[in-house]
Amino acid sequence: MFTALRRTTPRASRPLPWPGGIWISIVAWAALVTFALLSVGPPLLGMGTFLGTDLLQNAAPWQSAFGPTRPVVNALVGDTVDTVVPQTWAIVDMLRAGTSPAWNPWVGGGTELGGLPNSGLYSPLSVAWWVLPLSAAPGVTKLLEIVAVTIGMSLFLRRLRLPDPAWALASLVFVSSGFMVSWTNWQHTRVAAVIPLLFWALDRAAVRRRLVDVVPVAIVVGVMLLGGFPAVTAYALYAGAVWVVFRAITTGRSFGRVVGAGAVCAAGVVLGVALCAWTMVPFAINATSVLDFSVRAQSSTDSLQLIDLVSAFVPEIIGDVSIPTAYGSGSPIERLSYVGIVAMLLIASRFLLRRSSVALPGARFQIIALAVCVVLVYIGGPALAAAQELPVFSNNPIGRLRVLVGFFSATLAAAGFAALIAEARPPRDVLELPAARVALDGRQLTLRILTALAILGLMASLTATAMDEVPAWAEGGIIAAIWTTAGFGAAGLALILLGRFAKPSVVRAAAVGLLPLLVLIPALDLVDHWWGWSDESTLYPATETTDYLAQHLGEQRFANTDAALLPGTNTIYGLRSVGGHAYQTAQWQDLLREVDPNAMISPTYSTFLSSIAAINIASPVLDRLGVSYMLFDPNAPAPGVFQGVDRSSDTVELGDGPVRSTVRTGPVRTIGFAIDGDASIGGGAELTADIVDEVSGDVLASTTTWYRSLSGERNVTLAGESIPAGTAWHAEIRLSSGSAQVFAAVDDPAAAAVALTLPADDGARIVQTGEATIIERTNALPRVRWADSAIVETDADRRLSLLAEGAIPPTTVLLERDEDLEKAVPAQEDEESSATVDLAPTEDDPAAVSARTTSDRAGWLVIDDSLRRPGWSATIDGEPAALVPAEHAGAAVRVPAGTHDVRVQYTVPGLETGTLVSLAALGVTVLLIAAELLIARRRQRRR
């Protein structure tokens, strides 16, 4: 049976030293190099950064701090700005400072960091992060991804006997494919860039079937796992396994050799996992103890839409990433399917035009694999339901499988290009193969023409359907993009036909050589809209807001509201927040929802809505979590008592001079007014509001904020809480440039109608305004504190109620297990102890909480961090101590009377075991290499 399935691999189709071949090779490789240099752009020369930090200008405090800036290139890359880069840089920064990067204490109560592969920092492709400044590392990393793809494609396609210009074209198509473009600066593409190398290593092992071939497979699998996104690795291994079976069958001579090929490849995968066990074992422990995979469960209806395939040749049709606006359902990040119209034509030409003298081993396998991926990604249904019975498919969006759509499209386009190169050679250079220009009979020609027309009809139909999702205001731009694509398609088709049918070989070679340029130009246009670059001044600059928090926050927390200080970026600044962008335990999420039921924007992203936070600013939960400050957008009203105002339909002009309000009295937190329509302020202006004493004319409070645009309801918060009751004042509002129409007060047509938010008895105090509003919560408890006594509540719901109601005294800790209280010596109830807690700065050891306690009697050291994770332990004076669950998400340590050094330490769980496994795997790898070298030397001696 296996002999019947065997195929003969054709002799290498290498370029011959004929002028046309040299021309094609030069253009193909020049196109790839040009893409690599121009796509990353100025950051490679030290100008700007290959990061989307320009989008920080859309959030406080940077919006006002930046002032006028250039337009945002891609507003959908927020994840890279608020979590991927901050957490990656935190690992590097901690190691450079000589501290443990195991734990990130700054976000969401704390989260695992350096012990997991999630950052992708341990991939060889991330070497730039270790040696270059933050501004340069992302651009160089992208360039290394392109290099890795090129090396992998070259090795893989060389094994498949394709000429070197086809290697360059395949690399260009893959690095500019939808997945590789849309997920740039995430870990995803660092893994995907190694897929060609994986197929090379697996193909080599499947065909050679030698024990030493385990090593390349293991190394490549290890590099992919260290890249930090296991789903892409798993998808590639699924496809690679089928490829191994196919190649083993078609090149093997017996069932035993086929089994041997599979065994060699499987051993390579296992060895690769073992090499990375030092980080994969901790990852597995974290995945099973912290992550909730139920929220990621997928169904057969979770595929992309078939019309998303239109973005394979018209990428603009799924949305505008600069606004950002999606046309249709879902984020363009998850939907971009770009391959390029010319690459699609090359694939079609390989199968629809006359049979070529160049055969691609596995071409039919690859077209079937591409078709299967397309069905799973864009159609779903029963096929997807069946796939979701497999691990990874069941809890990862199937849209991520677009990575294989791009890969197989690239290799098939390379096959089509190689066929054209073979056709372009003079007849005497066809390498003894049968005539390359065999005429088709009428039936074949008719069938292929009908197939081509059917494909064109399907593309046109899908495009028309996709246009139904495009808003009217964007139709003009999309239609222009469609015509541009049609133009490139027509030019590509003309060159393909010339390369196939033109009689002079020089014309055929010239036409084929121009095809990489038609792949290059649209690809550059695509990445220009998706990648761009940001000015280095936008790279997490310090602002008045971050400086204030750095000076006053200490070991306490602050809380973001809405997008203020873009939750997660605080890791860069070393500021501890209660929410953010990171994996958070279920218990920590429970506490956040007690403050704001909508706090979890996604399973990994949390922030408080400003409207809810203003109501719940005095929340006892926030008190116990040590939240000393809350951060608001400057246009959000401060917490307090709202006092409305009657507005007239008339307006007063805010322009050359200030607009006054009617006279008011007493303390104030926020003034509110409304602008009729849009203010005319060009590229932006400063809005200043003063509270002016009606008698003396003194300015009692003032603030200034820069805005890019102004319209509708406006709120301005000022530090006016200390204005004495009964003091008469009026507000003055002015613009630094431009003008606006402000609705007037009913009782004074010459004055602006100004509503007020007055102070309330909520323990809040406004400490800074302008680029952002910072409100101090004066009732917050220390995040790490002493408790004289303890109570137990075993029911989680009741425990949350007790915390939310403020029913527990500050000096009492809430435990969860009866046995923890039973083991403790009962506290004296007559009075509080005179305990002190001296806390070591977090910067000294981010993965530990160290405190010196002094107390006249035993009590509890309470740590309100997110400690419900494996890896935490406690010691008192160096001796192990019990770390008991407390406060629903935190922990507590029972401490005897006297002075003691208490240390609560995080150690990466599974690191020791994983390291031992990795060392053993490394030893096996070295032995395999040594054995191969020894065998090779003996063979050489025999010769």
Side-chain angles (χ1 to χ4, degrees):
M1 177 182 71
F2 294 114
T3 304
L5 287 171
R6 189 179 173 205
R7 299 287 183 271
T8 302
T9 301
R11 185 176 298 179
S13 178
R14 299 190 182 95
L16 297 179
W18 55 290
I22 296 173
W23 152 255
I24 295 171
S25 187
I26 289 175
V27 174
W29 286 103
L32 177 60
V33 172
T34 300
F35 178 85
L37 297 178
L38 295 186
S39 62
V40 180
L44 290 177
L45 301 176
M47 296 182 292
T49 181
F50 190 68
L51 278 177
T53 50
D54 54 355
L55 65 78
L56 292 178
Q57 65 184 285
N58 294 334
W62 303 285
Q63 183 182 63
S64 182
F66 285 177
T69 57
R70 69 190 187 100
V72 172
V73 175
N74 187 343
L76 294 177
V77 295
D79 287 3
T80 65
V81 174
D82 64 33
T83 186
V84 175
V85 170
Q87 300 225 34
T88 300
W89 193 248
I91 297 173
V92 175
D93 201 39
M94 289 178 188
L95 284 173
R96 288 179 178 176
T99 58
S100 169
W103 183 257
N104 178 359
W106 311 120
V107 61
T111 186
E112 295 84 359
L113 187 61
L116 305 180
N118 300 0
S119 66
L121 195 54
Y122 306 125
S123 166
L125 299 183
S126 300
V127 64
W129 288 89
W130 298 103
V131 298
L132 296 177
L134 175 57
S135 59
V140 175
T141 299
K142 191 64 199 179
L143 187 62
L144 290 177
E145 288 179 12
I146 297 173
V147 170
V149 168
T150 302
I151 293 173
M153 281 292 189
S154 299
L155 291 172
F156 180 52
L157 297 183
R158 183 174 181 270
R159 288 195 58 79
L160 301 187
R161 310 302 189 191
L162 296 188
D164 70 273
W167 312 346
L169 184 120
S171 302
L172 176 57
V173 171
F174 186 46
V175 297
S176 63
S177 62
F179 184 93
M180 299 297 288
V181 170
S182 67
W183 287 108
T184 285
N185 281 332
W186 275 271
Q187 305 92 324
H188 307 40
T189 54
R190 261 171 275 181
V191 179
V194 190
I195 289 177
L197 276 169
L198 176 67
F199 272 76
W200 162 76
L202 291 174
D203 188 79
R204 186 173 183 266
V207 174
R208 287 168 32 119
R209 306 177 184 89
R210 293 167 59 180
L211 188 59
V212 73
D213 294 326
V214 167
V215 175
V217 175
I219 292 174
V220 173
V221 169
V223 170
M224 295 183 77
L225 291 174
L226 293 176
F229 197 73
V232 170
T233 303
Y235 288 148
L237 286 174
Y238 276 125
V242 182
W243 173 258
V244 166
V245 172
F246 168 80
R247 285 286 276 165
I249 290 175
T250 56
T251 59
R253 296 182 179 180
S254 67
F255 178 78
R257 291 194 176 186
V258 172
V259 173
V264 169
C265 293
V269 174
V270 172
L271 183 60
V273 174
L275 286 170
C276 301
W278 63 274
T279 187
M280 295 309 297
V281 172
F283 174 80
I285 293 173
N286 180 257
T288 55
S289 61
V290 176
L291 305 188
D292 179 9
F293 287 105
S294 65
V295 299
R296 300 169 61 91
Q298 302 291 301
S299 71
S300 60
T301 61
D302 289 329
S303 64
L304 300 183
Q305 300 178 77
L306 197 57
I307 58 175
D308 290 330
L309 267 175
V310 178
S311 66
F313 49 94
V314 186
E316 298 87 350
I317 206 160
I318 57 173
D320 185 340
V321 297
S322 66
I323 301 177
T325 298
Y327 311 148
S329 176
S331 168
I333 294 281
E334 297 280 8
R335 297 163 56 206
L336 182 66
S337 306
Y338 184 77
V339 172
I341 188 65
V342 176
M344 295 172 68
L345 288 171
L346 286 171
I347 296 171
S349 72
R350 182 66 184 82
F351 296 96
L352 295 181
L353 294 183
R354 295 179 300 183
R355 182 169 298 176
S356 167
S357 61
V358 175
L360 172 68
R364 288 177 180 164
F365 166 88
Q366 294 190 44
I367 197 68
I368 292 172
L370 176 59
V372 169
C373 290
V374 167
V375 170
L376 292 176
V377 174
Y378 301 98
I379 298 176
L384 180 56
Q388 286 169 344
E389 296 298 318
L390 298 171
V392 179
F393 284 93
S394 60
N395 51 29
N396 277 278
I398 194 60
R400 312 281 170 86
L401 195 63
R402 289 175 297 135
V403 66
L404 293 182
V405 173
F407 173 71
F408 288 125
S409 296
T411 57
L412 288 168
F417 190 52
L420 287 171
I421 293 172
E423 294 283 349
R425 294 176 186 151
R428 63 179 178 276
D429 292 332
V430 181
L431 292 175
E432 303 176 357
L433 291 168
R437 310 164 76 80
V438 180
L440 297 172
D441 62 32
R443 184 178 302 176
Q444 289 178 317
L445 181 61
T446 301
L447 179 60
R448 297 189 182 193
I449 290 175
L450 290 176
T451 302
L453 291 176
I455 293 173
L456 286 174
L458 177 61
M459 292 170 63
S461 175
L462 289 176
T463 303
T465 304
M467 283 297 296
D468 294 338
E469 303 289 341
V470 177
W473 58 266
E475 285 182 354
I478 302 302
I479 291 173
I482 292 172
W483 279 111
T484 301
T485 298
F488 276 100
L493 180 60
L495 292 178
I496 289 172
L497 293 176
L498 284 173
R500 284 284 187 173
F501 301 116
K503 290 185 178 180
S505 63
V506 66
V507 175
R508 297 197 301 274
V512 173
L514 290 175
L515 284 169
L517 299 181
L518 293 186
V519 175
L520 169 67
I521 296 170
L524 283 175
D525 182 67
L526 172 68
V527 298
D528 183 60
H529 288 84
W530 278 78
W531 293 352
W533 57 279
S534 301
D535 191 274
E536 197 167 341
S537 64
T538 68
L539 193 64
Y540 307 106
T543 67
E544 293 177 359
T545 300
T546 57
D547 288 345
Y548 183 93
L549 290 174
Q551 293 169 14
H552 295 87
L553 194 58
E555 296 301 311
Q556 295 290 89
R557 290 192 172 90
F558 78 95
N560 308 80
T561 64
D562 302 329
L565 199 61
L566 205 59
T569 59
N570 50 289
T571 294
I572 286 282
Y573 298 98
L575 302 171
R576 183 181 278 103
S577 67
V578 73
H581 198 164
Y583 289 106
Q584 299 168 30
T585 63
Q587 295 86 351
W588 194 263
Q589 294 182 36
D590 290 340
L591 293 175
L592 297 183
R593 290 192 181 98
E594 286 298 318
V595 180
D596 179 354
N598 301 307
M600 296 307 303
I601 308 301
S602 77
T604 60
Y605 187 93
S606 60
T607 187
F608 297 136
L609 297 179
S610 57
S611 57
I612 302 297
I615 298 172
N616 293 335
I617 193 165
S619 166
V621 172
L622 295 179
D623 290 342
R624 299 188 79 86
L625 292 178
V627 177
S628 293
Y629 295 92
M630 294 196 81
L631 191 61
F632 289 79
D633 184 272
N635 191 46
V641 179
F642 179 73
Q643 188 179 90
V645 65
D646 293 328
R647 291 173 181 163
S648 167
S649 58
D650 297 329
T651 61
V652 292
E653 184 172 355
L654 174 61
D656 294 336
V659 167
R660 293 168 51 109
S661 72
T662 55
V663 177
R664 318 299 274 273
T665 60
V668 64
R669 284 180 175 171
T670 301
I671 64 172
F673 58 94
I675 295 175
D676 186 13
D678 295 326
S680 300
I681 56 173
E686 289 183 339
L687 175 69
T688 299
D690 297 329
I691 302 298
V692 181
D693 190 296
E694 185 67 16
V695 177
S696 67
D698 294 339
V699 176
L700 305 177
S702 179
T703 192
T704 298
T705 305
W706 186 90
Y707 286 100
R708 187 177 297 107
S709 61
L710 287 168
S711 62
E713 299 285 341
R714 310 304 303 178
N715 293 288
V716 180
T717 298
L718 307 98
E721 297 160 309
S722 60
I723 298 174
T727 300
W729 55 265
H730 66 269
E732 292 185 0
I733 308 165
R734 60 183 180 274
L735 289 171
S736 61
S737 62
S739 63
Q741 297 297 318
V742 178
F743 284 105
V746 170
D747 54 352
D748 186 353
V754 173
L756 305 180
T757 300
L758 307 179
D761 185 18
D762 51 14
R765 184 170 69 92
I766 296 168
V767 294
Q768 182 167 295
T769 62
E771 60 187 29
T773 300
I774 303 177
I775 298 179
E776 183 180 7
R777 301 183 66 258
T778 59
N779 295 329
L781 301 178
R783 182 187 118 256
V784 180
R785 64 185 180 275
W786 182 267
D788 292 316
S789 60
I791 61 172
V792 174
E793 178 53 64
T794 58
D795 181 75
D797 291 338
R798 179 57 185 157
R799 194 162 54 237
L800 288 168
S801 296
L802 289 173
L803 293 169
E805 293 164 3
I808 307 170
T811 57
T812 299
V813 61
L814 177 61
L815 304 181
E816 303 177 16
R817 301 182 307 203
D818 290 322
E819 59 267 29
D820 294 328
L821 186 58
E822 291 169 357
K823 294 176 184 178
V825 177
Q828 301 174 23
E829 300 294 338
D830 54 346
E831 61 181 13
E832 295 180 4
S833 67
S834 57
T836 60
V837 177
D838 295 324
L839 195 60
T842 300
E843 291 80 359
D844 293 352
D845 189 350
V849 176
S850 299
R852 171 162 291 184
T853 65
T854 302
S855 177
D856 56 0
R857 61 174 180 245
W860 301 87
L861 183 68
V862 184
I863 304 100
D864 266 311
D865 287 349
S866 180
L867 304 184
R868 300 305 172 82
R869 308 162 187 261
W872 285 99
S873 61
T875 60
I876 299 176
D877 300 328
E879 296 296 324
L883 184 66
V884 303
E887 304 283 301
H888 192 72
V893 181
R894 183 68 175 176
V895 183
T899 299
H900 300 280
D901 291 321
V902 183
R903 183 177 179 83
V904 178
Q905 177 75 47
Y906 177 76
T907 304
V908 179
L911 177 62
E912 184 175 344
T913 300
T915 300
L916 291 175
V917 173
S918 292
L919 289 174
L922 182 61
V924 172
T925 303
V926 171
L927 287 175
L928 288 173
I929 295 173
E932 175 66 15
L933 293 175
L934 182 60
I935 293 171
R937 181 175 296 181
R938 287 179 177 176
R939 287 174 180 169
Q940 189 174 11
R941 287 177 179 175
R942 290 173 183 173
R943 292 175 184 173

